[in-house]
């Protein structure tokens, strides 16, 4: 593979990526070479541009944390062969060719499009491992999902519903709430028209698990509605700051606060991550998951995609086609 390829490149912190041309990579030991077809945008991509992500990268670097494509080269015994359709989760997926470790690749069902697969792993993987593993969500419990119309929020609604929980989805705007309801929410709350979220959740009977990718005052309010023995999942801080949680309440009410960073499982417990992804692919094949694609945009419109993500103009994942 000698021809040049197109890449997105963050050349300076604080500036969105630009399009450049580069030589394609070669597959190293234990790596699969993949011709990319799609790459998903995540809130973490905005943080990386600002230099605020927990796994910081010095510019210049290629953005993107997950994507999907076709295998070009694969080492013997890897279980992959040229032509295989795969999803991958590695930094730098916004390039036309990517070299990824075997362990970071997963075959995708023939019925799953590249656009679906590109945005499937982090969002669905985060929600599945967090709810099934850390929170041990049980059928019949009540789950409150903040930012329920966002990329990870919608998956938490869908997976919580599939696990038999009563799901309360909190999002902004009637149109976005319809999407949340369609994903499986039993009750929806419009955060733009709810002056007291804690009271609203308590009026609905309180909650057993809070799934919080937002933080800020919304996280604090949802925490206040937790039952005794409840679980609070710290997923992210899209609202701008971490919530100031009253630890004395956590003590008295035996509330567990779980920090959850999906990417950290690559080193913390890669087998748990891989096993979760295999089960998720099985759920997709069984028709129990319907991953939506919010916006599909070509690489040439990457600046528009970043603007859309930054201003929360999308419902679900934004996917860049390559």
């Amino acid at each position: 593979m000698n021809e040049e390829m197109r890449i997105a490149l963050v050349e300076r912190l604080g500036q969105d990526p630009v399009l450049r041309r580069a030589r394609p990579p070669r597959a190293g030991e234990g790596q699969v070479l993949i011709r990319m077809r799609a790459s998903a945008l995540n809130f973490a991509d905005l943080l990386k541009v600002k230099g605020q992500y927990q796994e910081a990268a010095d510019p210049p670097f290629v953005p993107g944390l997950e994507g999907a494509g076709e295998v070009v080269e694969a080492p013997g015994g890897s279980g992959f062969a040229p032509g295989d359709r795969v999803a991958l989760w590695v930094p730098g997926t916004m390039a036309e060719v990517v070299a990824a470790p075997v362990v970071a690749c997963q075959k995708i069902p023939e019925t799953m499009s590249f656009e679906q697969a590109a945005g499937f792993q982090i969002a669905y993987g985060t929600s599945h491992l967090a709810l099934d593993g850390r929170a041990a969500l049980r059928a019949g419990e009540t789950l409150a999902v903040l930012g329920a119309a966002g990329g990870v929020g919608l998956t938490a609604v869908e997976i919580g519903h599939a696990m038999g929980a009563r799901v309360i989805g909190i999002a902004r705007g009637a149109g976005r709430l319809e999407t949340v309801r369609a994903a499986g929410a039993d009750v929806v709350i419009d955060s733009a028209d709810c002056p007291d979220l804690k009271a609203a959740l308590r009026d609905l009977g309180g909650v057993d698990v809070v799934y919080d990718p937002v933080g800020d005052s919304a996280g604090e309010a949802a925490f206040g509605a937790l039952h005794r023995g409840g679980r609070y999942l710290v997923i992210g801080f899209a609202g701008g700051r971490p919530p100031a949680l009253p630890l004395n309440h956590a003590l008295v009410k035996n509330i567990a606060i779980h920090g959850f960073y999906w990417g950290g499982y690559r080193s913390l417990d890669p087998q748990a991550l891989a096993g979760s992804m295999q089960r998720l692919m099985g759920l997709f094949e069984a028709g129990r998951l319907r991953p939506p694609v919010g916006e599909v945009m070509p690489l040439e419109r990457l600046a528009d995609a970043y603007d859309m993500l930054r201003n929360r103009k999308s419902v679900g994942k934004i996917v860049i086609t390559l």
Side-chain angles (χ1 to χ4, degrees), residues 165-190:
R166 174 182 178 238
V167 181
I168 302 172
I170 300 103
R172 183 181 296 270
R176 294 163 70 86
L177 288 174
E178 282 304 310
T179 302
V180 173
R181 195 184 296 277
D186 299 281
V187 182
V188 295
I189 295 175
D190 190 340

Side-chain angles (χ1 to χ4, degrees), residues 10-73:
V10 175
E11 297 182 327
R12 293 180 181 84
L13 293 181
Q15 296 183 5
D16 287 347
V18 294
L19 299 188
R20 295 287 185 254
R21 301 195 73 85
R23 304 291 293 178
R26 295 180 179 273
E29 185 176 353
Q31 288 188 321
V32 178
L33 197 64
I34 298 163
R35 184 177 295 280
M36 299 297 296
R37 299 302 183 191
S39 176
L41 266 180
N42 290 275
F43 185 72
D45 288 298
L46 294 181
L47 296 179
K48 289 192 77 170
V49 165
K50 296 177 182 179
Q52 297 174 353
Y53 190 53
Q54 54 259 39
E55 292 182 355
D58 295 324
F61 64 86
V62 176
L65 297 168
E66 60 178 336
E70 298 163 325
V71 173
V72 178
E73 298 177 17

Side-chain angles (χ1 to χ4, degrees), residues 32-262:
V32 178
L33 197 64
I34 298 163
R35 184 177 295 280
M36 299 297 296
R37 299 302 183 191
S39 176
L41 266 180
N42 290 275
F43 185 72
D45 288 298
L46 294 181
L47 296 179
K48 289 192 77 170
V49 165
K50 296 177 182 179
Q52 297 174 353
Y53 190 53
Q54 54 259 39
E55 292 182 355
D58 295 324
F61 64 86
V62 176
L65 297 168
E66 60 178 336
E70 298 163 325
V71 173
V72 178
E73 298 177 17
S78 67
F80 296 103
D84 283 346
R85 303 169 74 252
V86 297
L88 60 152
W89 53 92
V90 292
T93 56
M94 287 192 191
E96 290 184 322
V97 181
V98 170
V102 169
V103 71
C105 301
Q106 173 74 44
K107 291 181 182 178
I108 61 176
E110 287 299 322
T111 52
M112 179 180 277
S113 70
F114 287 125
E115 291 79 13
Q116 286 177 312
F120 185 81
Q121 300 142 98
I122 294 177
Y124 277 87
T126 293
S127 294
H128 185 264
L129 262 184
L131 293 173
D132 186 52
R134 300 293 279 177
L137 179 66
R138 297 183 292 271
E141 290 190 314
T142 297
L143 165 68
V145 180
L146 299 177
V152 293
L154 277 175
T155 66
V157 170
E158 191 174 1
I159 290 172
H161 175 75
M163 293 176 68
R166 174 182 178 238
V167 181
I168 302 172
I170 300 103
R172 183 181 296 270
R176 294 163 70 86
L177 288 174
E178 282 304 310
T179 302
V180 173
R181 195 184 296 277
D186 299 281
V187 182
V188 295
I189 295 175
D190 190 340
S191 58
D193 190 31
C194 182
D196 191 340
L197 178 60
K198 180 169 74 172
L201 290 172
R202 284 181 170 179
D203 287 346
L204 290 168
V207 299
D208 299 293
V209 176
V210 171
Y211 182 98
D212 182 12
V214 176
D216 214 319
S217 59
E220 294 159 9
F223 181 89
L226 277 167
H227 294 149
R228 293 182 180 275
R231 288 87 75 200
Y232 183 93
L233 290 165
V234 182
I235 305 298
F237 313 115
R241 66 171 175 86
L245 302 179
L247 297 185
N248 57 322
H249 291 191
L251 185 153
V252 172
K253 295 174 70 175
N254 287 299
I255 291 171
I257 300 170
H258 296 291
F260 189 86
Y261 168 44
W262 185 84

